[in-house]
Amino acid sequence: MEEQKIRVLIAKPGLDGHDRGAKVIARSLRDAGMEVIYTGLRQTPEMIVEASLQEDVDAVGLSILSGAHNALVPRVITLLRENDMGDVPVFVGGIIPSEDTVALIDAGVTAVFGPGTRMDVIAATIRKAVAERA
Amino acid sequence: MPELDVLIEQACNGNRRALSRLITQVERGDDSAETVISHLYPLTGNAHIVGITGSPGAGKSSLVNEIAKRLRHLNQRVGIIAVDPSSPFSGGALLGDRIRMRDLYGDSGIFIRSMASRGNLGGLARATGAAVKVMDAGGFNTILIETVGAGQAEVDIAATAHTTIVIEAPGMGDDIQTIKAGILEIADIIVVNKADRPGADITVKALQAMLQLGHPAKTVHHGTVVDVAGVPDEQSALSWQPQVLESVATTGSGVDDVVDEIGRHYTYLRETGRWFEREKDRSRQEIEQLLTARFIARLVALIPQHERDAVVADVAARRQNPYAAVSQLLEKMMSADFQNLPRG
Ligand SMILES: Nc1nc2c(ncn2[C@@H]2O[C@H](COP(=O)(O)OP(=O)(O)OP(=O)(O)O)[C@@H](O)[C@H]2O)c(=O)[nH]1
Ligand SMILES: [Mg+2]
């Protein structure tokens, strides 16, 4: 029996117009053996959760540079819960002040990755969270 | 997770979360996949399955987006399966077709699922057919399948879809590839996308000329072109001539005609009885694939690894030829089967 593939959605919420960081993460996770659904720029929380539901992903990664994380991330988590996906781990990548990181974790985020976090650390963290969920 | 029969009931009643989970189950390909399909199968057979294939970047996802919008205006529920390749090195995949389908967001009559090919060649994933069945049972009227886009040998789609659309972009290079790959043979509809680009008309003419070769309405007799006599009207009325259409998927220009042609092909299949012929072809291929897979699984289970390895070594060293080796394995398998295994 082939081991189960991890399906992860990488989304770029918010209005800022470039997604280089999100694409780098998406490619690294692919190279770590995951199936990465990449949805492109300017995703609203509603779009992210709809895609997560249709794709039945094991994890959601949000790449945020716009500073709007305090509004966007809790909204994604609320919508996931409303759609019976409250157990799907959510990760946030970007420049997040440490006091906000605490608040995001309190709101239900599994981990926050600052700039320069090693890719193998990110992949391993996702793998662990997905395994713990199953 | 809820029990399987609960999931199935929910999915058939329009619960999208349940539908999504069922697709995951069939994609895993384990025993639960078999259970899901055996429950759902009687509910399938209603959807019009449309394949969209063509070279990387030809505009498949963009066209799927535009086609889906128009089918929604015709009050159809539309399921979309977009297949992208898995990396042969890592086994991972980057599934990016949704980027071009963001117009479809927020419509409960649309369901988009990305799939990685997981090592399957031929443009689809092994579980694509099963995922189609889940959507079919879930009440989607049209199911659009976007293939990997290798541009060659994507023959699986012709066996999976009722209607196959081949997309080309302007440029003669592609056209020569097309003849080589034999991809025109599988096309029910041909679309030259990016018709806003120079050279589109040349590509259209080249494709029309090639189709003319494949479906001659006229023939050359002693150097002069004559109409083919003796083709019974009945037969020509029953045969389908693929049209070459033009579109600009980024603006939607020409896509109305593509949607009309999809409808025309559906009517053609239904009215000529070809629909059931395609269903039979599909069922035959499906049974053969399952049979082969199970047969090999049994062979593997019945004949110890070291014996199979020994046969391989004999063939490699020319002590035995491959035909004789297979006969020997089959004989062993049959006798092992009957002597040692409980029936059923
Ligand atoms: N000029 C022009 N560009 C187009 C047209 N259709 C698609 N594109 C662009 O072509 C690029 C590829 O389009 P996609 O729809 O992603 O093509 P695809 O065949 O799905 O690509 P893969 O899935 O990667 O094989 C995108 O940048 C589109 O915006 C068109 O009709 N005209
Ligand atoms: Mg595509």
Side-chain angles (χ1 to χ4, degrees):
Chain A
M1 180 96 288
E2 169 186 356
E3 77 167 294
Q4 288 312 320
K5 284 268 174 291
I6 293 178
R7 287 168 63 84
V8 48
L9 183 106
I10 297 294
K12 179 79 183 65
L15 296 176
D16 56 308
H18 74 86
D19 61 349
R20 207 175 313 124
K23 279 183 176 157
V24 168
I25 299 224
R27 273 192 218 106
S28 311
L29 294 179
R30 174 200 57 194
D31 294 342
M34 299 182 195
E35 293 181 350
V36 183
I37 293 108
Y38 185 61
T39 52
L41 284 167
R42 297 195 187 86
Q43 299 283 301
T44 64
E46 286 75 11
M47 293 167 107
I48 291 166
V49 173
E50 183 182 272
S52 301
L53 185 147
Q54 292 179 354
E55 301 288 355
D56 193 20
V57 290
D58 303 303
V60 175
L62 305 173
S63 166
I64 304 185
L65 294 173
S66 57
H69 47 268
N70 288 334
L72 293 170
V73 178
R75 178 88 185 123
V76 169
I77 288 176
T78 304
L79 288 170
L80 282 172
R81 286 180 183 149
E82 282 174 10
N83 282 279
D84 188 23
M85 296 186 79
D87 61 335
V88 176
V90 175
F91 300 87
V92 174
I95 306 163
I96 313 281
S98 54
E99 63 270 26
D100 289 358
T101 299
V102 175
L104 289 178
I105 301 284
D106 278 348
V109 168
T110 302
V112 174
F113 304 117
T117 311
R118 279 175 39 190
M119 283 303 165
D120 53 343
V121 172
I122 295 179
T125 311
I126 293 177
R127 249 191 221 107
K128 184 158 166 287
V130 170
E132 279 166 5
R133 175 194 176 217
Chain B
M1 203 194 295
E3 291 297 317
L4 210 50
D5 43 349
V6 177
L7 269 186
I8 290 172
E9 200 191 311
Q10 289 173 338
C12 293
N13 289 327
N15 180 324
R16 296 155 73 75
R17 178 84 185 108
L19 185 90
S20 189
R21 283 178 157 160
L22 283 182
I23 296 177
T24 304
Q25 301 257 342
V26 299
E27 198 176 16
R28 287 202 176 124
D30 53 16
D31 291 347
S32 64
E34 189 172 333
T35 315
V36 172
I37 295 302
S38 50
H39 275 77
L40 290 180
Y41 200 72
L43 303 170
T44 64
N46 302 309
H48 183 198
I49 304 164
V50 179
I52 290 103
T53 189
S55 324
K60 297 179 292 297
S61 303
S62 310
L63 196 65
V64 163
N65 180 56
E66 290 299 319
I67 291 172
K69 281 198 272 184
R70 284 162 179 77
L71 291 174
R72 288 298 294 142
H73 285 137
L74 300 172
N75 262 327
Q76 300 217 20
R77 296 182 69 216
V78 183
I80 297 171
I81 297 174
V83 189
D84 273 317
S86 296
S87 155
F89 305 107
S90 70
L94 198 50
L95 312 173
D97 294 315
R98 293 187 82 100
I99 297 172
R100 310 272 168 232
M101 302 183 192
R102 51 186 295 147
D103 296 354
L104 307 178
Y105 150 75
D107 180 348
S108 62
I110 299 253
F111 194 100
I112 309 171
R113 182 66 172 237
S114 313
M115 281 184 114
S117 64
R118 298 195 178 173
N120 202 42
L121 304 171
L124 300 180
R126 206 169 302 123
T128 301
V132 167
K133 290 192 185 75
V134 175
M135 288 186 173
D136 189 348
F140 289 89
N141 310 102
T142 300
I143 298 166
L144 304 172
I145 308 174
E146 175 181 343
T147 74
V148 163
Q152 291 202 350
E154 303 217 342
V155 286
D156 281 2
I157 191 62
T160 304
H162 298 112
T163 301
T164 300
I165 305 179
V166 172
I167 304 191
E168 289 288 332
M172 268 320 276
D174 293 348
D175 298 346
I176 290 158
Q177 284 295 93
T178 302
I179 319 174
K180 272 197 206 146
I183 208 162
L184 286 189
E185 277 88 330
I186 67 169
D188 299 304
I189 301 167
I190 297 166
V191 176
V192 175
N193 187 46
K194 305 197 183 184
D196 54 330
R197 295 263 179 92
D201 49 339
I202 300 171
T203 304
V204 169
K205 288 212 178 72
L207 287 166
Q208 278 166 344
M210 269 185 263
L211 283 174
Q212 204 58 39
L213 290 174
H215 303 263
K218 297 181 188 303
T219 187
V220 178
H221 186 71
H222 295 301
T224 43
V225 179
V226 295
D227 285 337
V228 178
V231 177
D233 280 342
E234 214 182 334
Q235 193 185 323
S236 53
L238 279 180
S239 73
W240 175 262
Q241 304 281 330
Q243 301 292 315
V244 183
L245 305 173
E246 285 180 64
S247 71
V248 183
T250 37
T251 65
S253 160
V255 182
D256 284 346
D257 290 345
V258 176
V259 172
D260 285 348
E261 192 69 356
I262 293 172
R264 218 168 63 80
H265 192 246
Y266 176 82
T267 308
Y268 159 79
L269 290 175
R270 286 295 198 184
E271 287 183 353
T272 58
R274 296 287 157 92
W275 180 275
F276 193 62
E277 289 304 312
R278 291 222 174 184
E279 287 295 317
K280 277 201 287 192
D281 288 346
R282 220 141 57 89
S283 305
R284 184 176 300 116
Q285 167 150 332
E286 210 166 10
I287 291 168
E288 278 172 11
Q289 277 172 358
L290 279 175
L291 204 56
T292 310
R294 299 234 162 145
F295 195 76
I296 290 173
R298 284 191 102 171
L299 177 80
V300 168
L302 285 169
I303 302 183
Q305 178 81 43
H306 66 90
E307 282 188 37
R308 280 180 280 129
D309 288 347
V311 173
V312 171
D314 282 346
V315 173
R318 269 57 184 180
R319 285 189 292 271
Q320 200 176 35
N321 72 64
Y323 296 95
V326 167
S327 299
Q328 185 195 322
L329 284 175
L330 283 178
E331 218 159 276
K332 260 204 183 141
M333 184 185 163
M334 296 308 240
S335 51
D337 200 2
F338 290 122
Q339 285 164 21
N340 302 331
L341 279 188
R343 292 292 177 85

